[in-house]
Amino acid sequence: MRIDIISAVPDLMVSPFRTSILKRAIEKGLVNVYFHNIRDWSSNNYRQIDDAPYGGGAGMVMMIEPLDKCISELKSQREYDDIIYLTPDGITLNQKIANNLSIKNNLIFLCGHYKGIDQRVRDLHITKEISIGDYVLTGGELAACVLADAVIRLLPGVLSDEQSALTDSFQDDLLSPPIYTRPESYKGMKVPEVLLSGDPNKIDAWRHDQAVRSTTEKRPDLLGDEE
Ligand code: 6GU
């Protein structure tokens, strides 16, 4: 997989990709992540990328020209499966969207800043608009990191235990059951007996029951009709 991330402040996204699991995924060649600074496509001496909105109003708008030049150059080099604009007015990211994106080859993430981007960029190039929740961030960069993390961890070979992404919360529309490790007893608090039983069927049944309870209590909206 290849991800091209376009931003006015790419420095904001450096550390998530240089640390831990994402770093290893890149080192193993399972994903290539390239950052593009929109200012590099600005045509004027001030490296201007934003301007006041037509019709007035607060805030600045990211101009079409640098964005179109940058995206067009990338598109001339390879085919992209999706060109995704990270914006609070996009559809809300969930596990299904991450799963679908994880089987693509080439993706562009465009990070908005200021009040957003000229509508014509959206009309011309954008194939998906994604938000990471109903709150506003200073820009799309942290959202792009969240989306990249959610997608990259699903690529085969990224997680050491290949099973572990399959048992995530949300993969089966249930939250995860409680988990424990040593010691068996801490300050009088004991690990549930069933987990020490060594009976895999009993353990699976307990975990499923706990997952359903937890979901019913915390996220009843996740429980469809099929439960
Ligand atoms: Cl993708 N961008 C911004 N600026 N704020 C957000 C967001 C994105 N998703 C949630 N809030």
Side-chain angles (χ1 to χ4, degrees):
M1 169 176 281
R2 173 184 172 119
I3 304 176
D4 290 274
I5 306 182
I6 304 170
S7 160
V9 279
D11 286 355
L12 205 51
M13 296 174 279
V14 169
S15 88
F17 296 94
R18 288 213 188 137
T19 318
S20 189
I21 293 174
L22 299 190
K23 174 189 174 176
R24 239 183 308 123
I26 291 167
E27 283 173 355
K28 284 198 207 165
L30 301 171
V31 62
N32 292 306
V33 180
Y34 297 93
F35 294 101
H36 307 281
N37 191 330
I38 298 166
R39 284 186 204 282
D40 295 342
W41 278 269
S42 167
S43 51
N44 78 29
N45 289 336
Y46 307 100
R47 309 232 296 159
Q48 186 186 359
I49 54 163
D50 61 321
D51 209 335
Y54 278 117
M60 299 289 268
V61 179
M62 289 172 72
M63 301 157 76
I64 185 169
E65 193 186 358
L67 291 172
D68 177 44
K69 279 185 177 164
C70 178
I71 295 169
S72 296
E73 187 176 316
L74 289 169
K75 276 173 139 179
S76 74
Q77 293 163 348
R78 67 196 62 76
E79 283 228 15
Y80 284 92
D81 298 288
D82 267 314
I83 302 180
I84 300 167
Y85 175 43
L86 283 307
T87 175
D89 59 4
I91 54 165
T92 309
L93 179 62
N94 58 30
Q95 191 60 48
K96 190 172 162 206
I97 295 171
N99 291 348
N100 286 334
L101 291 175
S102 73
I103 57 170
K104 310 285 187 182
N105 292 316
N106 298 317
L107 298 171
I108 291 176
F109 293 178
L110 172 60
C111 305
H113 237 261
Y114 316 105
K115 269 286 157 196
I117 63 176
D118 191 300
Q119 179 61 36
R120 290 167 292 186
V121 180
R122 298 166 87 149
D123 299 341
L124 188 60
H125 290 298
I126 299 301
T127 63
K128 281 195 171 68
E129 303 190 329
I130 295 180
S131 159
I132 62 163
D134 292 341
Y135 44 84
V136 180
L137 303 169
T138 55
E141 284 76 13
L142 296 178
C145 292
V146 167
L147 179 58
D149 186 293
V151 170
I152 293 170
R153 66 187 290 285
L154 298 173
L155 301 177
V158 169
L159 296 181
S160 50
D161 176 10
E162 288 241 272
Q163 279 290 87
S164 60
L166 298 174
T167 57
D168 287 340
S169 281
F170 299 112
Q171 283 298 16
D172 51 7
D173 285 335
L174 288 176
L175 302 181
S176 293
I179 52 169
Y180 301 85
T181 187
R182 285 184 291 190
E184 219 175 284
S185 176
Y186 184 75
K187 294 184 176 172
M189 295 178 288
K190 295 211 166 68
V191 172
E193 204 68 45
V194 59
L195 296 177
L196 311 172
S197 70
D199 180 337
N201 293 330
K202 256 165 81 178
I203 292 170
D204 281 353
W206 181 84
R207 285 183 169 151
H208 182 75
D209 179 60
Q210 291 290 319
V212 172
R213 273 171 204 239
S214 169
T215 311
T216 307
E217 191 183 311
K218 293 189 273 190
R219 293 293 307 277
D221 56 297
L222 292 177
L223 293 171
D225 301 324
E226 63 278 340
E227 255 309 309

